[in-house]
Amino acid sequence: MSGKKYVYGIIQKDTEEGFGFMGLNGSPVSSIVHDGLSCVMGDYSGKDFNAMSQEELIRALLTHQQVVEYVMQNHTVLPVKFGTLLPGPVEAQALLAQGHSEFLKALNFFQNKVETEVAATWDTNQVLREIRNEEEVVRLREAISSKG
């Protein structure tokens, strides 16, 4: 795969920008503009994502997320799905033109909002022990066992 553009996200900006941040394959992250919107992207000449090992995919996904978070420091970002490639800048401008009104609506909706990621872990056996004696669970268990 060579000569492709990797897309990280879309921002509202009417001038091209070099972000001073490196993305996938150590490629500089910059933007391509169309009518007040910018595609945040970088060159991509790496492996096909389907051919990557799990470790390589995780590293690439982390880089994708780091770029989006870096750009979020100064812009509202519509993140683009991990692994999105375009043939070149002309296709990026066509994408911005095609979805222009929807992208603007979404960017305006998400402006001044923050994304929060929450992860939870639990001990399944402990949870089952705790709910085993709840009244509704006891009643349902008795109803099921009485039917044989």
Side-chain angles (χ1 to χ4, degrees):
M1 243 183 229
S2 63
K4 301 227 182 233
K5 294 287 186 181
Y6 184 90
V7 184
Y8 298 96
I10 296 170
I11 61 175
Q12 193 168 359
K13 187 163 176 59
D14 57 6
T15 57
E16 291 187 358
E17 181 175 347
F19 292 94
F21 194 83
M22 301 307 224
L24 292 171
N25 302 120
S27 174
V29 176
S30 61
S31 65
I32 293 174
V33 176
H34 176 79
D35 196 18
L37 293 175
S38 294
C39 244
V40 177
M41 53 196 343
D43 292 332
Y44 186 78
S45 59
K47 283 184 177 179
D48 183 305
F49 293 100
N50 293 325
M52 288 184 177
S53 68
Q54 184 175 6
E55 185 178 311
E56 290 171 315
L57 274 172
I58 290 170
R59 275 199 308 268
L61 180 58
L62 287 172
T63 300
H64 175 98
Q65 185 64 26
Q66 288 170 339
V67 170
V68 171
E69 289 175 4
Y70 181 81
V71 175
M72 276 183 179
Q73 293 174 15
N74 296 306
H75 303 279
T76 299
V77 179
L78 288 179
V80 172
K81 179 182 170 189
F82 170 72
T84 301
L85 295 169
L86 293 175
V90 171
E91 290 79 7
Q93 289 175 325
L95 170 69
L96 294 173
Q98 181 180 356
H100 191 270
S101 63
E102 292 302 315
F103 293 147
L104 280 177
K105 283 181 201 172
L107 284 163
N108 287 327
F109 177 80
F110 288 113
Q111 192 162 3
N112 299 319
K113 292 188 172 73
V114 178
E115 177 184 21
T116 303
E117 186 174 324
V118 177
T121 60
W122 62 352
D123 179 345
T124 307
N125 290 330
Q126 177 64 31
V127 170
L128 291 174
R129 279 192 299 273
E130 289 178 17
I131 65 171
R132 170 177 39 208
N133 295 320
E134 287 187 15
E135 185 178 321
E136 187 175 350
V137 173
V138 170
R139 184 176 48 77
L140 289 170
R141 191 172 54 232
E142 287 172 356
I144 291 170
S145 62
S146 70
K147 293 182 180 181

